[in-house]
RNA sequence: UCCUCAGUAGCUCAAUGGUAGAGCAUCCGGCUGUUAACCGGAGGGUUGCAGGUUCGAGUCCUGCCUGAGGAGCCA
């Protein structure tokens, strides 16, 4: 039986294969807590009701020993979770020796100690809850796109050229004749597949060699990127808003227990409904300056700027029409104000910062060529991309949503490192 | 790359320049409903490394190492 199915097995004798999470003892009654990956269940072993050998075996168990227990399930209000197993048999697969006990105890530990033992930390209740929510987020993202006419067309990890500046690329030796880079975005390829399929998305790991050491940065992170042919900035905004609302609603629907483990204030998540407030970059700068920020028109937001802005809103909000100078070469200029581009960021509330960035792409051949030149990019590497403007070019756009930042926000975590099983950061690549 | 902080028992942390300690974990004992159980006892230390100041350094100084938070940077 899976522990998560306990309610459907009340009164039945079942078998649970798992690990000892903790053992509480009270005289002649033992309360081993068993976890099996789906949940944690309290078992009860009463000395007078069991053969001596069974009772002593349970009493001698050590934390995280692998065991298979049998017994009858019953509803029990005194048990955490509401169900309890009256233990009548146990098989020990491996007993963890007390000479080298399981290092992660139920008490406090520092982050360095835990990160060094990430492979074991994943067994803990909080980490388990976070990664289950991540799974729900990923499923919801896929379900949203799959049910809205998007085709999944994944893009390559090895790429010959940069999408942004070359300083943030990880370089890889590609046999002995070439250098390639780990992708930092699938967007350029998405633009090609969107012209073939109409609406597409890719979903996979991306890599940024930024020397950033903050609560919002990983060097390897997962991003979902939709791209749509015949789409404008407004279409992009609408899909972004629908996606975020759908994902949050799914977590609220299916992962309440995990949110409770994390002590997340779900009322904040229940606010996540359309319409999201929308402000322009100009307006954002005005608001920030009024709050005392030193930001000047023409520069990008810092982390504290994003936090300041989010104080004004109780749900995710959008900022659009950024200065062209601070954005990527492919961004479509606003026809009414060429100094700004038709780009949009979605920022999460509660200071979690940018979770989505995107916008409308340049569809005009001549303008794209000019931008490539202005950004001093090697034209030969972009010939295929330029082709897309020669053969049936159309207005199009899309965005990227960072999964880890999204999960950190939904879970209410203070650092993205806990939102992925094995985080890769500036100074940490192990375990 | 820069700034700030930290490094003492397996873990989390104390210790005015003057005998290195507590809680948890481990081990032994007690308790028939525990909820990070509780109660009693035991073992457990090259105070990150290398120098320096001092009668005396965990504590002050210099350098280095490691980690954390942040800045810059970040479609």
């Amino acid at each position: 039986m899976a522990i998560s199915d306990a309610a459907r097995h009340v009164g039945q004798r079942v078998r649970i294969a798992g690990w000892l999470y903790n053992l509480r003892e009270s005289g002649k009654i033992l309360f081993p807590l068993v976890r099996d990956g789906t949940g944690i269940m309290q078992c009860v072993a009463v000395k007078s009701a069991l053969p001596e050998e069974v009772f002593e075996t349970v009493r001698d168990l050590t934390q995280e020993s692998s065991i298979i227990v049998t017994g009858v399930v019953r509803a029990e209000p005194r048990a955490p979770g509401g169900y309890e197993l009256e233990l009548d048999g146990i098989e020990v697969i491996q007993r963890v020796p007390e000479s080298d006990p399981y290092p992660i105890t139920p008490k406090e530990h520092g982050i360095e100690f835990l990160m060094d033992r990430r492979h074991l930390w994943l067994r803990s209740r909080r980490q388990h809850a976070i990664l289950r929510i991540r799974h729900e987020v990923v499923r919801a993202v896929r379900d949203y796109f799959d049910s809205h006419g998007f085709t999944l067309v994944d893009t390559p990890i090895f790429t010959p050229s940069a999408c942004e500046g070359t300083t943030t690329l990880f370089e890889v030796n590609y046999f002995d004749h070439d250098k390639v880079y780990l992708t930092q975005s699938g967007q350029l390829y998405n633009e090609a597949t969107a012209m073939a399929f109409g609406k597409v998305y890719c979903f996979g790991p991306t890599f940024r060699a930024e020397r950033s050491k903050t609560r919002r940065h990983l060097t390897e992170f997962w991003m979902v990127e939709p791209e749509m042919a015949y789409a404008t900035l407004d279409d992009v905004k609408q899909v972004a808003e629908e996606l975020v609302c759908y994902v949050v609603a799914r977590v609220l629907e299916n992962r309440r227990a995990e949110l409770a483990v994390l002590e997340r204030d779900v009322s904040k998540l229940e606010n996540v409904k359309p319409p999201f407030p929308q402000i322009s970059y100009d307006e954002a700068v005005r608001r920030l300056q009024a709050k005392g920020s030193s930001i000047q028109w023409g520069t990008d937001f810092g982390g504290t700027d994003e936090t300041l802005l989010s104080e004004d809103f109780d749900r995710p909000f959008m900022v659009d029409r950024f200065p062209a100078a601070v954005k990527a070469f492919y961004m479509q200029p606003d026809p009414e104000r060429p100094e700004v581009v038709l780009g949009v960021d979605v920022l999460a509330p509660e200071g979690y910062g940018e979770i989505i960035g995107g916008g409308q792409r340049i569809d005009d051949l001549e303008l794209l060529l000019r931008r490539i030149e202005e950004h001093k990019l090697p034209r030969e590497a972009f010939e295929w991309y330029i082709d897309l403007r020669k053969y049936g070019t159309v207005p199009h756009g899309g965005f990227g949503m960072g999964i880890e930042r999204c999960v950190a926000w939904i879970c209410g975590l203070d650092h993205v490192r806990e939102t992925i099983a094995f985080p890769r950061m500036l100074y940490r690549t192990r375990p």
Side-chain angles (χ1 to χ4, degrees):
Chain A
M1 180 198 82
I3 290 172
S4 56
D5 288 338
R8 292 193 279 125
H9 291 82
V10 171
Q12 296 173 14
R13 186 160 184 276
V14 301
R15 176 178 179 277
I16 297 172
W19 296 262
L20 185 75
Y21 192 76
N22 196 6
L23 176 63
R24 288 191 284 265
E25 190 175 347
S26 179
K28 303 294 184 288
I29 303 186
L30 305 174
F31 299 95
L33 299 186
V34 177
R35 64 171 190 87
D36 73 345
T38 74
I40 297 174
M41 178 174 260
Q42 172 168 295
C43 306
V44 187
V46 178
K47 187 177 170 80
S48 60
L50 288 170
E52 173 96 17
E53 185 194 323
V54 172
F55 185 82
E56 285 304 317
T57 299
V58 174
R59 203 173 69 87
D60 281 344
L61 284 176
T62 47
Q63 193 187 358
E64 286 300 321
S65 289
S66 39
I67 53 176
I68 298 173
V69 295
T70 52
V72 175
V73 179
R74 63 171 179 235
E76 170 56 71
R78 286 174 295 185
Y83 300 94
E84 190 172 81
L85 187 83
E86 178 84 42
L87 184 142
D88 61 30
I90 182 163
E91 180 187 351
V92 179
I93 309 304
Q94 186 236 343
R95 182 176 177 277
V96 175
E98 50 268 308
S99 59
D100 187 10
Y102 185 72
I104 302 177
T105 66
K107 289 282 184 178
E108 290 170 27
H109 300 284
I111 192 65
E112 181 185 2
F113 181 82
L114 292 169
M115 288 302 297
D116 285 343
R117 289 157 187 79
R118 182 63 174 168
H119 53 296
L120 303 176
W121 191 21
L122 297 172
R123 304 180 186 191
S124 301
R125 209 188 308 241
R126 268 181 64 86
Q127 300 308 311
H128 190 260
I130 293 165
L131 291 178
R132 296 248 285 194
I133 289 171
R134 178 193 173 99
H135 182 202
E136 188 68 35
V137 167
V138 170
R139 280 207 308 182
V141 161
R142 289 196 181 282
D143 287 347
Y144 174 82
F145 288 119
D146 293 346
S147 62
H148 285 76
F150 289 76
T151 300
L152 175 71
V153 187
D154 281 319
T155 52
I157 306 285
F158 287 145
T159 58
S161 61
C163 178
E164 305 308 322
T166 50
T167 55
T168 64
L169 285 166
F170 284 107
E171 193 176 282
V172 179
N173 286 319
Y174 201 72
F175 301 111
D176 45 358
H177 61 279
D178 217 349
K179 293 269 193 241
V180 295
Y181 306 94
L182 297 181
T183 183
Q184 52 185 190
S185 166
Q187 185 208 307
L188 302 187
Y189 293 98
N190 267 347
E191 291 184 54
T193 60
M195 299 307 138
F197 295 86
K199 294 200 286 186
V200 298
Y201 72 103
C202 66
F203 189 13
T206 51
F207 307 86
R208 305 270 170 103
E210 291 156 7
R211 295 186 177 276
S212 298
K213 188 169 154 27
T214 80
R215 65 187 69 235
R216 304 181 304 279
H217 286 88
L218 299 172
T219 53
E220 174 184 322
F221 63 97
W222 284 65
M223 190 157 64
V224 61
E225 296 176 277
E227 191 72 26
M228 300 172 282
Y230 289 103
T232 64
L233 177 61
D234 286 338
D235 298 321
V236 169
K237 285 177 175 176
Q238 189 190 334
V239 170
E241 181 180 273
E242 282 182 15
L243 174 67
V244 171
C245 292
Y246 184 82
V247 166
V248 171
R250 277 277 298 267
V251 172
L252 285 171
E253 186 183 338
N254 296 329
R255 290 288 173 253
R256 285 270 172 180
E258 284 78 7
L259 290 170
V261 166
L262 300 171
E263 297 176 307
R264 181 67 166 118
D265 179 355
V266 292
S267 70
K268 296 252 171 53
L269 298 177
E270 281 160 350
N271 285 337
V272 181
K273 294 191 176 119
F276 291 172
Q278 301 191 19
I279 61 175
S280 65
Y281 171 86
D282 299 359
E283 164 78 12
V285 170
R286 278 196 296 274
R287 284 176 184 243
L288 286 169
Q289 288 174 340
K291 286 168 176 283
S293 169
S294 58
I295 189 171
Q296 296 296 311
W297 198 96
T299 61
D300 218 335
F301 303 136
T304 47
D305 291 324
E306 293 180 347
T307 303
L308 275 176
L309 272 181
S310 72
E311 288 171 356
D312 293 351
F313 305 105
D314 68 346
R315 65 193 67 195
F317 60 99
M318 302 193 195
V319 181
D320 71 3
R321 292 179 166 79
F322 294 87
V326 300
K327 288 292 179 182
F329 74 96
Y330 50 72
M331 293 274 211
Q332 174 73 40
D334 185 339
E336 292 165 20
R337 286 180 65 198
E339 73 277 18
V340 300
V341 290
L342 298 177
V344 62
D345 283 359
V346 178
L347 288 95
E350 302 172 72
Y352 280 94
E354 181 186 345
I355 53 172
I356 283 178
Q360 197 173 325
R361 326 299 189 188
I362 290 173
D363 54 83
D364 180 73
L365 176 62
E366 295 307 318
L367 178 58
L368 182 65
L369 291 174
R370 204 155 65 236
R371 283 282 194 273
I372 287 175
E373 200 170 313
E374 285 167 8
H375 283 78
K376 297 187 169 52
L377 296 168
R379 175 173 168 162
E380 57 281 6
F382 291 94
E383 284 299 344
W384 67 268
Y385 185 68
I386 293 165
D387 267 359
L388 303 174
R389 278 71 184 173
K390 291 184 187 167
Y391 307 112
T393 189
V394 299
H396 64 287
F399 62 84
M401 181 170 85
I403 294 300
E404 287 76 14
R405 285 189 186 177
C406 205
V407 173
W409 160 53
I410 290 172
C411 292
L413 307 178
D414 62 7
H415 201 298
V416 291
R417 66 187 157 215
E418 293 177 59
T419 64
I420 185 167
F422 296 99
R424 295 293 174 246
M425 293 174 291
L426 181 53
Y427 295 122
R428 188 176 287 279
T429 52
R430 277 183 282 217

